[in-house]
Amino acid sequence: MSDPVWYRSLYWRIAFGFIALMAMLLIAQGVLYLWLTDRFVGTAARTPTQLATLVASEVSSELGQKPDLNVEEFARSRYSHVYQPFLIVLRDGRRGSNRPTALPPELGRMAQGRLRFGPPGAPRPDGRGGEPFGRGGDPFGRRGGSRFPTEYAMVLGAGGAEVGVVAVPGNPPPVSVALQELGPTLTWFGLGLLSVGAMLTALLIFRPSHNRLRALEQAARALGEGRTDVRATETGGDEVSSLARTFNRMAADLDSRAAALTVSVRARRQLLADVSHELMTPLAAIRGYVETLGMANVPIVAPTRVRYLGIVEEETHKLEAVIGDLLDLARLEGGGDTLR
């Protein structure tokens, strides 16, 4: 069977390998994205109010133990895994955030106003009530709300004094923030997975075919050097194995032809030896009797001369028969006659 099995075809294996590689890449990327998202955004299950309360409580506790607390370092080390950004503002000017690049630009001013003037509606230093933060849209620039949807929690110091505030935007940051955070990890993971997949594809699909092609090349080179007994490996069931089977049939045909040619050469040599012997026998007889008849000093009676001439004639007919057989053989080999 020279035709390759369809599911073992090299083209199908390449196609299936590519599809499997892409599927593996997409599945692994999806799993990694879900894992990173769950790890990265998992704390989003807390509401902004709960997150603000939690951060304010922990900052208050840390300030009680370390009055000179580095708020920025504390926020980054403790809440770097929290996707929802927040801002810590203390009265002495210290600030800290887990994701400074994801904060709305107005959040610092709003937190500072909340720390100075208190919640909306509280009496202002000039005696007027109202909203010290103004009106506008979403802190991230999206319209639709009458106030910035931000949640606050006060940081308490010694004696319950309000020494700071934690501001948490009510809306999550844009998708670009998540892409900025997860993009490098997903990119490097995808490149690594693609490299591993390419290596596996090369080892499982292309390397066996490459080895069999190299073996076929060596067999063809050996055949060109005259070794008709060489054979290529036929395993695999694909186009390479089909080519190897065709090559082996050609090599076997050449081997049988070479064997037949060897037998033919041997037969020709034997025929030449036999013909030489068959030609030399009548020629020797003819030569002997002719030389005898030509001797002037040898008296030959008439009956003996007639007998000698009859032998010469007989041997001449034998010589003509052998030469005629050789001519018939030449015509047969040249295709000019048929044997019945």
Side-chain angles (χ1 to χ4, degrees):
M1 180 178 180
S2 59
D3 295 334
V5 183
W6 73 270
Y7 58 85
R8 290 185 178 179
S9 171
L10 185 60
Y11 301 106
W12 281 102
R13 289 166 61 188
I14 293 175
F16 288 152
F18 176 76
I19 294 174
L21 176 61
M22 295 304 299
M24 180 179 65
L25 179 63
L26 292 176
I27 292 174
Q29 284 276 49
V31 172
L32 177 64
Y33 182 78
L34 292 177
W35 179 75
L36 289 176
T37 303
D38 180 71
R39 182 168 174 248
F40 193 60
V41 194
T43 53
R46 298 192 184 96
T47 64
T49 303
Q50 293 173 338
L51 180 60
T53 304
L54 175 63
V55 175
S57 175
E58 293 194 2
V59 173
S60 300
S61 177
E62 289 291 329
L63 286 175
Q65 300 177 5
K66 300 177 182 179
D68 57 346
L69 176 67
N70 188 331
V71 179
E72 181 70 25
E73 181 180 351
F74 170 79
R76 286 181 177 272
S77 61
R78 183 69 64 87
Y79 299 101
S80 60
H81 63 283
V82 177
Y83 178 63
Q84 179 69 32
F86 60 82
L87 176 64
I88 304 173
V89 178
L90 301 184
R91 290 188 183 276
D92 57 7
R94 285 180 288 178
R95 293 191 177 193
S97 175
N98 61 335
R99 300 189 185 286
T101 57
L103 293 174
E106 301 89 348
L107 189 62
R109 178 180 59 82
M110 294 169 58
Q112 192 70 33
R114 181 61 177 268
L115 185 61
R116 291 180 57 189
F117 303 115
R124 300 180 61 170
D126 56 7
R128 295 180 299 170
E131 299 177 2
F133 318 112
R135 296 179 177 270
D138 192 303
F140 294 102
R142 295 170 292 204
R143 300 291 177 180
S146 60
R147 296 186 180 86
F148 296 127
T150 306
E151 300 295 334
Y152 300 92
M154 305 308 297
V155 178
L156 304 179
E162 296 180 351
V163 297
V165 65
V166 175
V168 180
N171 295 325
V175 180
S176 59
V177 177
L179 294 178
Q180 183 179 2
E181 293 285 344
L182 302 179
T185 302
L186 292 175
T187 300
W188 285 110
F189 180 79
L191 291 176
L193 187 61
L194 185 62
S195 301
V196 173
M199 292 176 59
L200 291 177
T201 303
L203 290 176
L204 298 178
I205 297 179
F206 295 105
R207 184 175 179 82
S209 300
H210 172 75
N211 293 337
R212 288 185 285 123
L213 283 174
R214 291 297 300 271
L216 182 60
E217 178 187 1
Q218 295 174 0
R221 186 178 293 111
L223 182 64
E225 295 173 356
R227 294 173 48 194
T228 57
D229 59 335
V230 68
R231 296 294 182 270
T233 304
E234 298 184 4
T235 59
D238 54 7
E239 288 78 7
V240 179
S241 62
S242 178
L243 180 61
R245 284 191 291 271
T246 304
F247 173 83
N248 289 340
R249 285 197 299 270
M250 180 186 69
D253 185 51
L254 289 177
D255 193 16
S256 62
R257 288 170 182 254
L261 181 61
T262 303
V263 173
S264 176
V265 171
R266 189 180 299 112
R268 284 177 180 273
R269 290 176 180 175
Q270 185 63 37
L271 177 63
L272 181 60
D274 295 339
V275 168
S276 299
H277 175 66
E278 293 295 329
L279 290 176
M280 286 301 296
T281 300
L283 283 176
I286 293 172
R287 180 179 179 181
Y289 284 107
V290 170
E291 288 179 353
T292 302
L293 291 174
M295 292 181 180
N297 56 350
V298 177
I300 301 175
V301 297
T304 302
R305 183 181 298 275
V306 172
R307 185 169 61 85
Y308 284 178
L309 291 175
I311 294 174
V312 170
E313 183 181 4
E314 182 182 354
E315 296 299 329
T316 302
H317 288 310
K318 290 181 180 180
L319 186 59
E320 289 179 351
V322 173
I323 294 175
D325 291 340
L326 291 177
L327 292 176
D328 292 339
L329 180 61
R331 283 195 298 270
L332 287 173
E333 287 187 345
D337 203 351
T338 56
L339 181 65
R340 290 177 298 184

